[in-house]
Amino acid sequence: MTRPLSIWVVSDGRAGIENQALGLAEAVQRLTPAEIIVKRIQWRSLFDRLPSALKTPSMLASTSDAVTAPQPDMWPDLWIATGRATLPLSTRVKAWSGGRTFVVQTQDPRWAKARYDMIVAPAHDGLAGDNVFEITGSPHRITPDRIAQAAPAFADRIAPLPHPRVSVLIGGKSKAFDLTEAHAAELADQIADAVRASGGSLLLTFSRRTPQAAKAVMTARLSGLPGWIWDGAGDNPMFGFLHFADHILVTEDSANMAAEAASTGKPVHILPMVPLKSGDKFARLHDDLAERGATRPFDGTLGGWTYAPLAETERAARAVLEAMGTR
């Protein structure tokens, strides 16, 4: 009997970063027997700002998980890492493992690109190379089966709500976009009008980046609608919101949220933000999602449409396994 594939998922532990690598690992695991071990790392503050080329495992904080193996056959078959913090390790794993480990980095590492066996990069980043595999958006953990499995925990609160159920995912300020109080109030009024006109209900969640003033004004203006505005207390109902939604509204600032929403096969309406600089990368992503039929700009109404759910993480996982088989 062939032993399961061993996979290490490596990141700095931030959920949004870790979920990219973990989502890709789980997609591989759905295709072939595999054991996943999550490794969370942190550099000691004295060394954190050093160039990646100068960092060594001895500089990791004591709270970091061990990311070395005492001998080559104890290294994983597959190393999947995400984020700048992992680069000093990802670029050396091939040598440390004696060539045993296949190294995958998600996102554009912007350094030593030839040292990875594969880079799984968002197509809107425009990264090119023989070892680059482009996908729409970023790898993630959301699948129809996964959200269906999570949904029963929230059914008592969501299932009685009237249709259409409108899930709203609000981002926040970034280098490219802002969500001012005034703009948040305008969005809230447009969302409220659409939900009332449809006779439906609201399922709203904010991100960690949502400015407090924007969160407050949207909560105040939307709290009178049937539904649930998650305040951050208790288990995160995001998967339940996606499962029970008839429509999904997503602010344009997050490539991750848009791609995740498009994996459901449900209509995804894009909410505009206040631009702070040229949004070429985001424009390319949203053009891609629109061309696939997944998204449309929110026009104040809740018209429906259908499309094939995006399965980009699975596509990347198949590419990883294919590449590993040709080593």
Side-chain angles (χ1 to χ4, degrees):
M1 180 176 173
T2 303
R3 66 172 179 81
L5 201 69
S6 60
I7 306 175
W8 286 7
V9 167
V10 189
S11 77
D12 63 10
R14 287 178 293 164
I17 295 293
E18 181 179 288
N19 284 344
Q20 292 184 33
L22 185 55
L24 182 55
E26 289 172 342
V28 170
Q29 189 181 50
R30 289 192 290 272
L31 296 171
T32 190
E35 296 176 348
I36 298 172
I37 297 177
V38 175
K39 302 276 189 174
R40 294 174 178 143
I41 65 158
Q42 184 178 3
W43 299 95
R44 283 185 276 165
S45 56
L46 180 64
F47 305 110
D48 191 38
R49 294 188 178 276
L50 281 179
S52 293
L54 300 180
K55 289 179 177 175
T56 66
S58 64
M59 299 174 184
L60 289 168
S62 60
T63 53
S64 287
D65 292 325
V67 285
T68 58
Q71 53 194 47
D73 64 358
M74 297 184 71
W75 284 94
D77 300 302
L78 177 58
W79 167 290
I80 304 177
T82 305
R84 183 182 65 86
T86 67
L87 300 182
L89 306 172
S90 295
T91 52
R92 297 175 172 93
V93 169
K94 181 66 68 177
W96 290 338
S97 68
R100 167 193 170 89
T101 301
F102 189 88
V103 181
V104 177
Q105 194 76 17
T106 74
Q107 301 288 19
D108 181 355
R110 301 182 181 180
W111 177 65
K113 297 175 185 177
R115 296 191 195 175
Y116 317 97
D117 290 304
M118 182 179 290
I119 300 171
V120 177
H124 61 270
D125 278 352
L127 186 63
D130 292 341
N131 62 339
V132 175
F133 187 83
E134 291 186 320
I135 65 172
T136 299
S138 301
H140 57 79
R141 302 183 69 194
I142 291 179
T143 67
D145 285 345
R146 188 177 183 86
I147 64 175
Q149 291 168 8
F154 308 101
D156 286 349
R157 183 155 184 182
I158 300 177
L161 295 173
H163 293 276
R165 302 188 190 110
V166 183
S167 288
V168 181
L169 315 179
I170 301 295
K173 189 167 185 177
S174 65
K175 293 180 180 179
F177 297 99
D178 195 5
L179 183 59
T180 63
E181 183 177 5
H183 187 70
E186 182 179 346
L187 286 181
D189 289 344
Q190 292 172 356
I191 294 166
D193 289 344
V195 173
R196 290 193 185 101
S198 70
S201 54
L202 176 75
L203 300 168
L204 173 64
T205 183
F206 300 102
S207 81
R208 296 183 184 87
R209 295 182 294 104
T210 308
Q212 190 58 43
K215 185 184 297 186
V217 72
M218 295 192 80
T219 300
R221 296 190 179 215
L222 294 169
S223 58
L225 295 170
W228 182 4
I229 299 176
W230 187 52
D231 61 4
D235 293 336
N236 189 332
M238 169 70 79
F239 283 5
F241 282 10
L242 293 176
H243 175 77
F244 287 105
D246 298 299
H247 296 267
I248 303 172
L249 277 58
V250 182
T251 51
E252 66 176 320
D253 59 302
S254 173
N256 289 347
M257 288 197 304
E260 290 169 358
S263 72
T264 65
K266 299 177 181 183
V268 180
H269 308 252
I270 303 300
L271 298 168
M273 299 277 278
V274 178
L276 296 177
K277 66 175 186 178
S278 172
D280 290 347
K281 287 172 55 173
F282 285 94
R284 288 196 295 270
L285 168 67
H286 289 299
D287 286 347
D288 188 359
L289 291 172
E291 288 173 5
R292 290 168 172 260
T295 68
R296 298 178 185 177
F298 181 58
D299 64 1
T301 65
L302 295 173
W305 65 89
T306 60
Y307 60 93
L310 267 66
E312 292 291 271
T313 306
E314 279 67 26
R315 188 168 69 88
R318 288 193 295 271
V320 168
L321 288 174
E322 182 178 349
M324 291 180 70
T326 59
R327 286 184 298 170

